[in-house]
Amino acid sequence: FFSVNCKDMASGSSVVALKYKDGVMLATDTLLSYGSLARYPSVQRIKTVGDFTAIAASGDYADFQHIAAQADDLLLEDTLCEDYCTVGPKEVYNWLTRVMYNRRCNFNPLLNTAIVVGYRDGESFCGFVDSVGTHFEAEECTAVGMAQHIGLPLLRKRVEENPNMTREQALKTLEEVMAVMFYRDCRTINKIQVADCTATGVTISEPKMLETQWKYKAMDFEHTKLITIPN
């Protein structure tokens, strides 16, 4: 019996990543949607892989859990070798590109688009991998999901304005982009988590609620309503 994964079920939306002066940062919201239903509002969509790397992905969450389980197997195999070498972000990234491409060649792709970030040996890393194995290393920033179309231009603008960001500036930029995604993407909420990769390791923040503003005139009901009922 041959089983093919044809359609995602509970799925996550945007992921954004940005390099800064002392590391690289990645942000996701915590929502899983079941079609148009905001089904699970408090799910961590970031996976740490070893001491140097973090992965996050848009798309089917079950497939992302499968990737996470395979990453744990990779780390176990690496540990059992006892060669005093550990996988870093570049190794995890190259491994993931092969996993995605292999599943695509078997006509059973993992329905995810992933970002791999990490920091090792004084160098930040940020890589993109999609469901058919297409991949590239990002020089400054990248995004997946709806943020690839709406958030990435804003990320690039902020990097152009300040190419040597501090950690605080990078965090503020990611929060700004995720707030825009909350306004524009109906599969996103305003609760986010951030993974920060620096020389000291990978840390994942607690979920944080973003401050939002709905009092703009363009968002007022009187301005946006489709039907006007006469007095």
Side-chain angles (χ1 to χ4, degrees):
F1 179 72
F2 182 66
S3 175
V4 177
N5 184 6
C6 296
K7 185 178 180 181
D8 61 329
M9 300 300 282
S11 58
S13 186
S14 299
V15 182
V16 293
L18 173 66
K19 291 182 180 180
Y20 64 97
K21 183 171 64 174
D22 299 316
V24 58
M25 205 173 279
L26 173 150
T28 74
D29 69 309
T30 62
L31 176 68
L32 294 184
S33 299
Y34 184 81
S36 59
L37 173 67
R39 181 66 181 85
Y40 304 104
S42 300
V43 177
Q44 179 173 310
R45 295 170 47 213
I46 305 172
K47 166 70 176 176
T48 57
V49 184
D51 298 326
F52 310 100
T53 312
I55 302 176
S58 64
D60 186 46
Y61 190 68
D63 283 352
F64 180 67
Q65 288 177 309
H66 176 73
I67 292 172
Q70 285 197 307
D72 288 336
D73 291 341
L74 175 70
L75 290 177
L76 178 60
E77 181 181 350
D78 186 54
T79 301
L80 293 176
C81 287
E82 295 184 341
D83 56 2
Y84 303 101
C85 295
T86 56
V87 294
K90 291 184 178 180
E91 291 78 21
V92 173
Y93 167 74
N94 285 306
W95 164 81
L96 184 59
T97 64
R98 299 304 90 205
V99 169
M100 292 298 210
Y101 185 69
N102 175 260
R103 288 291 295 260
R104 173 260 186 192
C105 290
N106 290 329
F107 298 97
N108 189 17
L110 295 168
L111 301 179
N112 300 108
T113 304
I115 295 177
V116 180
V117 296
Y119 190 93
R120 189 175 189 181
D121 299 329
E123 182 179 354
S124 299
F125 179 86
C126 181
F128 169 102
V129 188
D130 73 5
S131 61
V132 297
T134 305
H135 57 280
F136 60 85
E137 294 183 27
E139 293 184 4
E140 297 164 337
C141 58
T142 191
V144 300
M146 277 294 286
Q148 196 170 3
H149 309 285
I150 299 174
L152 191 54
L154 180 56
L155 277 176
R156 288 171 174 163
K157 180 180 179 182
R158 294 291 180 260
V159 170
E160 184 178 339
E161 292 171 348
N162 185 4
N164 197 28
M165 291 188 188
T166 64
R167 181 187 182 281
E168 291 73 21
Q169 291 169 332
L171 179 59
K172 183 178 179 181
T173 298
L174 291 185
E175 290 179 352
E176 179 186 12
V177 172
M178 292 305 293
V180 170
M181 296 314 304
F182 175 60
Y183 292 136
R184 299 298 181 185
D185 182 6
C186 60
R187 302 293 179 267
T188 301
I189 60 173
N190 61 331
K191 184 193 290 186
I192 69 167
Q193 280 188 286
V194 176
D196 188 14
C197 304
T198 64
T200 58
V202 180
T203 57
I204 299 177
S205 70
E206 292 297 317
K208 176 182 179 180
M209 298 295 293
L210 296 176
E211 293 184 8
T212 55
Q213 171 63 264
W214 295 97
K215 296 187 180 298
Y216 299 115
K217 183 177 180 181
M219 296 179 179
D220 185 78
F221 176 72
E222 291 298 321
H223 187 80
T224 60
K225 63 184 179 181
L226 299 179
I227 300 173
T228 300
I229 301 175
N231 295 328

